[in-house]
Amino acid sequence: MAIIDIEPQEEIRQRMMNDLKRALKKPMNKRHWVMVIDLGKCVGCHACTTACVAENHLPPGIVYRPVMEKEIGRYPNVRKTFLPRPCMQCDNPPCIKVCPASATWKRPDGIVEIDYDKCIGCRYCINACPYSARTFDKGFYYCDDTPFVPDYEKLPSFEYGKEWPRKNRDDSPVGNARKCTFCLHRVEKGILPACVTTCLGDATYFGDSNDPDSLVSALLGSPRLMRLKEEFGTHPSTFYLV
Amino acid sequence: MKKQIASLIWLIAIIGFVIGCYGIYQRFAFGHRLTDYGSYIPWGLWVATYIYFIGLSAGSFLLSTLVYVVKIEKLEKIGKLSLFTAFGCLIAALISIWLDLGHEFRVYRVILHPNFKSMMSWMGILYSSYFVVILFELWFAMRVDLIKTASIGTGLIAAVCRFLALGSSDTSDKSRARDSRVLKVLGSIGVPLAIAFHGGVGMLFAVVGARTYWHSGLTPIVFLVGALASGGALLTAIVYVWGPDRNRPQFEDMMRFLGKIVLSLVLLDLLFEISEYFVGMYAGIPDEAIPIKAVLFGHYWYVFWVVHVLFGVIVPVWIFTRNAVSRPVGKTSPGAIAFAALLVAVTFMALRLNIVIPAQINPEIEGLQYAFMGPGLNYTYLPTVSEWLVTIWIASFGLLLFLIGYNVLPIVNKDDKEVA
């Protein structure tokens, strides 16, 4: 399915990469990262979930971008719908308000950041998020209860531009709340988030909503646009085309 | 009889402490990996234990203000006992929530880098203030007795009392009057403080808009009434075993008075509960109705109907009504009142669990529980053995702290202590 909401110009990944380069030339407070997910094009392949787990070296029990599936209609008129759910990067985030240790905040570019070294692991933010977008890292390895935990399980993740190794299960990010960062460590190097790159249905778009020429800005003008749970007043930066 | 009860409680506390040590070992050796809470149900038994003990603390502290601020004569001699009970429960509550943290050694951040928009930061500030107020109040309430014990006794207890008297030696009437004035001021500060911090714990839950079951203006009030009911009940049971004047006629009078207070608070708490449940069920909005249905008719229905309603309300209310209200003075049984109070205090844990857990069982986005599998990514919760062991350790630790304090410190005057 083509993008029906905008005029086709060039290959969309190339266009988003160009959008990214333009945005990165601006100061951080002049750009606002948003994600747009076209639910009509999502095929429910879970490639985004898997790419995210691989990119961020997510341990068991941590997921940043699950895809919900729902069966609708009665036989023979049965369809499946899919709903990928990254962090909404809300403009009015309930998770920040409740953090007792000032360990999470909204960056000027719209990303909700967690400082793993400051988080006390109280999990108040997890409860406060209406999207269940935060998960608690209890320190599992995939090879727990086997004779050998291979080294790749202890490789660092690179969230928020830092290295977070997993050698010691007492150190952060173990014991912290974790969530999708829109792959900030990639984005700041001009690479699209892993879920966007991997999406085989071309259903996920990413870019700077402050740039009127960006692909996402064009999509934000679509009449199909909606956001999840708007009634909570969270003003998410993740949009859906339905 | 009371001596036997006290010995039995010593035994229970020591056994609980020893067994619970294994849970504490597991908590520090394996972190949170042996627990059943996780990402979708992030708060479990330890949070419930925390609000249970903090409620007991606030309740018994507020009752102590009846002595030091309102000056109710009937309760005069249990002022120190209620303060010390509040102190023990506060310690237990703080240990419980401390062990629940993912990074327990960073807890200082709540005080040093507070976020004034977060109710949890306010909790850190209010608990610290409350802790200081309790310590000061206890010291001023015990000062003269500490000096007396230190001067007449020898050995370890006298040495501890001498140390805790902090060099004070003035037992004149003037200094006693000053103590009484200070206690009135501290108690008066303590009343809004206790209301703020326990109402604040309710607020901590109530402000979470994402959890409709908690998100009610009634929640902080329910917490306060619950605190008074459970704290008052615990104190009533404690007074029976360790309180003053146990062989004197005024003891029955005091127990009847305490029984009436607890009876009214249990009924008031029940009223709030009925109101919450009826409103939530009538509208039938899933976010609120699903947790309520789970409480009333879910897998763990017996926690509500049997533990809470039967043993926490019906049986104690019946006993209180007979012994503290309908039977004439002289024919009531303080033991029965104490037993009913103990039932209320212990079964209140069921109510606390039913506040914390059910609010989290409803997926915030339909199908989330099937979207990705992993430890902690589910909407069912049953505390693990490890979690129970830690809770048992915390309760036993609080109990031992109380028992040791009671035997070492002049919490009840020696003349009032004699036991049948």
Side-chain angles (χ1 to χ4, degrees):
Chain A
M1 196 195 294
I3 301 175
I4 58 172
D5 300 274
I6 54 167
E7 287 289 317
Q9 292 177 349
E10 55 193 316
E11 201 284 320
I12 60 156
R13 277 186 187 72
Q14 190 56 53
R15 183 172 173 195
M16 286 192 284
M17 293 279 275
N18 293 338
D19 291 350
L20 222 61
K21 277 179 196 154
R22 260 198 328 278
L24 287 169
K25 284 180 187 157
K26 297 194 286 185
M28 195 200 275
N29 58 355
K30 298 285 181 207
R31 55 186 187 241
H32 190 268
W33 299 123
V34 301
M35 192 172 275
V36 181
I37 301 170
D38 190 338
L39 297 183
K41 293 172 73 184
C42 177
V43 297
C45 66
H46 299 268
C48 56
T49 313
T50 312
C52 174
V53 170
E55 172 65 32
N56 294 297
H57 298 165
L58 298 185
I62 299 290
V63 61
Y64 290 170
R65 190 183 160 105
V67 179
M68 269 62 76
E69 295 188 14
K70 194 178 174 185
E71 221 171 67
I72 49 170
R74 290 180 64 185
Y75 179 82
N77 303 306
V78 182
R79 297 280 188 282
K80 258 190 162 182
T81 60
F82 307 100
L83 179 76
R85 195 245 43 220
C87 173
M88 299 290 127
Q89 315 290 359
C90 306
D91 284 340
N92 181 26
C95 53
I96 290 180
K97 220 187 229 176
V98 299
C99 176
S102 309
T104 181
W105 59 86
K106 181 107 180 138
R107 288 163 44 113
D109 59 1
I111 305 296
V112 173
E113 179 166 348
I114 304 172
D115 187 332
Y116 290 150
D117 286 331
K118 291 179 178 169
C119 170
I120 64 169
C122 68
R123 311 188 291 288
Y124 200 3
C125 56
I126 301 180
N127 253 327
C129 175
Y131 308 98
S132 287
R134 289 185 173 218
T135 42
F136 180 54
D137 191 341
K138 290 168 99 173
F140 286 107
Y141 291 131
Y142 289 96
C143 293
D144 272 335
D145 301 327
T146 69
F148 175 65
V149 176
D151 284 343
Y152 67 78
E153 290 235 44
K154 298 170 184 171
L155 289 175
S157 71
F158 297 96
E159 291 163 32
Y160 309 108
K162 292 183 192 161
E163 276 192 35
W164 303 99
R166 210 174 167 73
K167 285 179 186 155
N168 184 347
R169 296 208 249 195
D170 291 328
D171 291 341
S172 289
V174 175
N176 291 134
R178 301 180 64 177
K179 64 167 201 75
C180 156
T181 68
F182 274 1
C183 277
L184 209 54
H185 57 289
R186 285 167 64 103
V187 170
E188 296 207 317
K189 292 196 161 38
I191 312 170
L192 290 166
C195 53
V196 180
T197 310
T198 321
C199 182
L200 60 84
D202 274 351
T204 301
Y205 312 104
F206 181 79
D208 172 21
S209 65
N210 284 354
D211 175 3
D213 297 328
S214 68
L215 175 68
V216 287
S217 284
L219 291 171
L220 291 183
S222 165
R224 297 196 291 141
L225 203 73
M226 58 82 77
R227 295 191 283 194
L228 284 183
K229 299 194 177 188
E230 293 232 52
E231 68 275 17
F232 281 91
T234 48
H235 305 299
S237 299
T238 298
F239 296 82
Y240 293 90
L241 295 171
V242 291
Chain B
M1 173 72 178
K2 286 172 190 172
K3 261 189 178 168
Q4 284 156 342
I5 294 174
S7 310
L8 183 69
I9 291 170
W10 265 104
L11 188 70
I12 291 171
I14 290 168
I15 293 174
F17 184 84
V18 172
I19 294 173
C21 279
Y22 187 64
I24 296 291
Y25 155 74
Q26 287 184 320
R27 166 64 185 82
F28 284 102
F30 302 100
H32 293 258
R33 291 192 297 284
L34 297 181
T35 61
D36 197 39
Y37 54 73
S39 295
Y40 295 161
I41 298 190
W43 287 346
L45 176 65
W46 296 342
V47 173
T49 308
Y50 150 68
I51 61 168
Y52 172 66
F53 278 112
I54 208 70
L56 292 176
S57 179
S60 67
F61 179 82
L62 285 169
L63 283 181
S64 81
T65 61
L66 292 181
V67 179
Y68 298 118
V69 183
V70 189
K71 307 263 184 201
I72 291 182
E73 272 179 31
K74 267 182 202 163
L75 304 178
E76 196 187 348
K77 288 179 178 171
I78 63 164
K80 285 180 285 182
L81 196 60
S82 53
L83 273 179
F84 197 69
T85 305
F87 177 74
C89 291
L90 174 66
I91 299 291
L94 292 179
I95 295 175
S96 186
I97 201 62
W98 181 68
L99 289 172
D100 187 69
L101 296 179
H103 283 280
E104 59 277 8
F105 297 109
R106 290 184 197 161
V107 70
Y108 66 91
R109 285 197 58 85
V110 176
I111 303 289
L112 294 186
H113 303 275
N115 166 15
F116 292 110
K117 282 185 182 169
S118 168
M119 281 314 298
M120 210 180 270
S121 283
W122 280 106
M123 288 299 97
I125 296 163
L126 293 169
Y127 285 147
S128 310
S129 321
Y130 175 58
F131 188 77
V132 172
V133 167
I134 281 201
L135 282 186
F136 272 90
E137 266 206 64
L138 269 173
W139 190 80
F140 279 103
M142 290 194 302
R143 191 187 64 87
V144 172
D145 300 318
L146 283 171
I147 297 166
K148 272 188 192 164
T149 315
S151 63
I152 53 171
T154 50
L156 186 66
I157 291 180
V160 170
C161 290
R162 197 168 305 123
F163 173 73
L164 290 176
L166 303 175
S168 171
S169 58
D170 188 358
T171 55
S172 64
D173 286 346
K174 204 177 158 191
S175 71
R176 283 167 197 248
R178 183 209 55 195
D179 287 355
S180 173
R181 277 199 309 276
V182 171
L183 281 169
K184 191 168 184 178
V185 172
L186 285 174
S188 308
I189 296 171
V191 174
L193 191 62
I195 291 173
F197 88 72
H198 201 64
V201 181
M203 273 282 280
L204 191 148
F205 289 88
V207 296
V208 179
R211 309 287 189 189
T212 317
Y213 181 65
W214 293 334
H215 189 49
S216 155
L218 214 50
T219 306
I221 312 297
V222 169
F223 267 67
L224 275 174
V225 175
L228 285 165
S230 61
L234 179 70
L235 194 65
T236 308
I238 283 177
V239 164
Y240 178 71
V241 186
W242 293 285
D245 296 336
R246 279 165 295 181
N247 300 327
R248 294 176 187 155
Q250 63 262 42
F251 184 67
E252 188 192 332
D253 198 25
M254 181 165 66
M255 288 300 285
R256 280 174 66 96
F257 183 66
L258 286 170
K260 278 178 199 162
I261 292 180
V262 177
L263 172 65
S264 7
L265 288 166
V266 166
L267 291 175
L268 186 61
D269 194 64
L270 184 70
L271 181 70
F272 280 126
E273 219 175 344
I274 290 171
S275 168
E276 284 269 35
Y277 286 178
F278 265 102
V279 171
M281 286 291 276
Y282 184 88
I285 297 166
D287 279 355
E288 189 164 13
I290 287 174
I292 295 173
K293 274 184 193 159
V295 170
L296 301 180
F297 316 114
H299 278 305
Y300 308 114
W301 60 270
Y302 51 85
V303 176
F304 180 81
W305 291 110
V306 180
V307 183
H308 172 53
V309 175
L310 181 62
F311 291 113
V313 179
I314 295 174
V315 173
V317 163
W318 181 69
I319 298 175
F320 280 136
T321 314
R322 278 172 67 88
N323 286 280
V325 183
S326 60
R327 282 185 182 166
V329 180
K331 289 196 172 176
T332 61
S333 157
I337 294 175
F339 175 70
L342 184 71
L343 275 182
V344 172
V346 172
T347 57
F348 224 79
M349 185 66 189
L351 201 138
R352 296 310 193 195
L353 275 167
N354 272 338
I355 288 175
V356 175
I357 315 299
Q360 308 171 82
I361 60 161
N362 194 22
E364 283 163 323
I365 297 177
E366 198 186 345
L368 190 58
Q369 68 271 44
Y370 309 116
F372 197 82
M373 301 297 167
L377 298 179
N378 45 47
Y379 284 94
T380 56
Y381 174 74
L382 186 65
T384 60
V385 173
S386 186
E387 283 174 74
W388 280 115
L389 284 175
V390 169
T391 300
I392 287 169
W393 185 87
I394 291 166
S396 309
F397 181 81
L399 206 50
L400 281 176
L401 191 72
F402 173 83
L403 291 170
I404 292 168
Y406 177 81
N407 283 289
V408 173
L409 301 172
I411 287 165
V412 173
N413 296 347
K414 262 215 168 113
D415 319 340
D416 302 327
K417 246 183 184 178
E418 78 281 9
V419 177

